[in-house]
């Protein structure tokens, strides 16, 4: 732990109390001048710290920063979040997670960034990633499952994200097949899973999760594929990202443990409970052609089951699903 992390943890553990300079010196094993320097650096980051000559230092306010020391404190997960990287601005958290995987990073490693300069969507699309307002998160997994089952874990990040948003602030987050998270029909989060595998074995699977937290309407470009929203737009207030990311990490951890122990079935049930197009008439854009039918749920492998008017059943592996008559 760095001196900065230690001092933050000390302040957090003694919320509202003055801590003497001497006590901080001995806890961190640094000089008084170094303590002062640390305090100044924290102030530069946006921490409000009061200093009183006879009593010491007291933390008054913390900024909405993502610091690994805060995230890991009493996190109590089985696997996810044992190692956490919190970056300022990087190209893409998925890209860094893949690089770390190549260097042998442990399963469950989490990469977070305050901003992304080249946030990735699917099929080479871009993910808008302004600084300080949203969550950009990648989680490295190494499941011992055949690569053809890897798409099942797209449903894991979808369920984790939607359940997290619902529990965090009560928004009616829904899943859209295969991997968007919507509130009131508007996209609040996007998911991008990236796989590195050979025929028989998965090397790494990076779950990329982007959640619009405090983004305001004027921060969205006009040419988005679908209407977009954020937690702030939906709830009318801004939210601290720290408790949100902790909840998300815990959720991914418990769902992954459940997936490893019991397979896809429980995840599929959870996903279907968050999917509001079940039994609905939809149009599916397959690229070259579109088909219409009634949604019959998920197949065991994650494909979407569609009942067509002629009585046949179509399995959709990839495509864009839109409800008809909404
Ligand atoms: C996605 O792609 O929805 C996947 C987005 C994954 C982003 C996360 S952030 C952490 C991790 N690191 C990364 O580099 N990526 C992941 P797709 O379904 O292709 O949607 C992309 C489309 O959504 C774009 O073409 C825009 O039209 C729209 N879009 C872009 N930014 C958005 C935003 N912040 N909110 C809502 N819609 C957005």
């Amino acid at each position: 732990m760095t001196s900065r992390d230690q001092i933050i943890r000390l302040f957090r553990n003694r919320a509202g109390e003055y801590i003497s300079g001497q006590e901080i010196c001995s806890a961190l094993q640094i000089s008084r001048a170094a303590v002062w320097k640390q305090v100044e650096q924290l102030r530069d980051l946006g921490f409000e710290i009061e200093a009183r000559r006879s009593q010491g230092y007291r933390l008054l306010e913390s900024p909405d920063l993502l610091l690994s020391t805060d995230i890991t404190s009493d996190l109590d997960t089985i696997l996810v979040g044992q190692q956490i990287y919190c970056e300022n601005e990087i190209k893409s958290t998925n890209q860094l997670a893949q690089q770390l995987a190549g260097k042998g990073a442990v399963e469950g490693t989490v990469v977070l960034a305050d901003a992304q300069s080249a946030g990735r969507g699917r099929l080479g699309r871009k993910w808008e990633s302004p600084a300080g307002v949203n969550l950009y998160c990648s989680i490295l997994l190494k499941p011992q499952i055949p690569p053809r089952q890897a798409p099942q874990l797209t449903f894991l990040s979808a369920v984790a994200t939607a359940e997290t948003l619902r529990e965090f602030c009560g928004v009616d987050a829904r899943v859209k097949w295969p991997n968007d998270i919507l509130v009131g029909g508007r996209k609040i989060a996007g998911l991008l899973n990236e796989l590195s595998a050979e025929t028989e074995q998965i090397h790494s699977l990076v779950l990329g999760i982007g959640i619009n937290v405090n983004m305001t309407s004027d921060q969205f470009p006009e040419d988005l594929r679908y209407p977009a929203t954020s937690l702030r737009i939906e709830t009318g207030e801004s939210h601290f990202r720290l408790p949100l990311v902790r909840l998300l990490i815990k959720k991914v951890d418990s769902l992954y443990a459940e997936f490893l122990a019991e397979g896809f079935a429980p995840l599929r049930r959870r996903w279907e409970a968050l999917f509001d197009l079940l039994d609905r008439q939809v149009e599916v854009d397959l690229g070259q052609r579109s088909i219409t039918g009634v949604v019959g749920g998920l197949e065991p492998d994650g494909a979407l089951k569609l009942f067509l008017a002629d009585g046949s059943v179509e399995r959709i592996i990839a495509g864009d699903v839109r409800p008809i008559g909404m």
Side-chain angles (χ1 to χ4, degrees), residues 92-94 116 120-122 125-126 128 187 212 225:
S92 148
T93 54
N94 266 31
Q116 297 184 118
R120 301 175 187 166
R122 290 175 302 146
R125 293 194 283 255
K126 183 178 169 212
E128 299 295 328
K187 184 157 169 171
N212 299 332
R225 279 161 58 86

Side-chain angles (χ1 to χ4, degrees), residues 91-95 116 118-123 125-129 134-138 179-180 187 189-192 208-210 212 215 220 223-226 228-229:
K91 283 187 173 165
S92 148
T93 54
N94 266 31
Q95 185 193 44
Q116 297 184 118
R120 301 175 187 166
R122 290 175 302 146
L123 308 169
R125 293 194 283 255
K126 183 178 169 212
W127 187 251
E128 299 295 328
S129 311
N134 291 339
L135 220 53
Y136 313 113
C137 172
S138 297
N179 68 345
D180 287 343
K187 184 157 169 171
L191 314 167
L192 176 68
I209 302 173
N212 299 332
M215 210 167 167
F220 290 110
D223 58 349
L224 291 179
R225 279 161 58 86
Y226 303 105
T229 190

Side-chain angles (χ1 to χ4, degrees), residues 135-152:
L135 220 53
Y136 313 113
C137 172
S138 297
I139 299 172
L140 171 65
L141 299 180
K142 302 181 179 181
Q144 302 290 307
I145 55 172
R148 67 187 151 73
Q149 283 175 16
Q152 294 177 348

Side-chain angles (χ1 to χ4, degrees), residues 148 151-152 155 177-178 264 268 271-272 275 278 295-306 313-319 321:
R148 67 187 151 73
Q152 294 177 348
F155 298 96
W177 187 87
F264 185 48
R268 192 170 105 197
W271 188 90
E272 284 181 343
F275 182 56
L278 212 57
V295 176
L298 281 187
E299 296 270 288
D301 62 353
L304 190 72
K305 190 158 62 173
L306 203 64
V313 181
E314 185 108 12
R315 280 167 43 84
I316 313 292
I317 312 269
V321 180

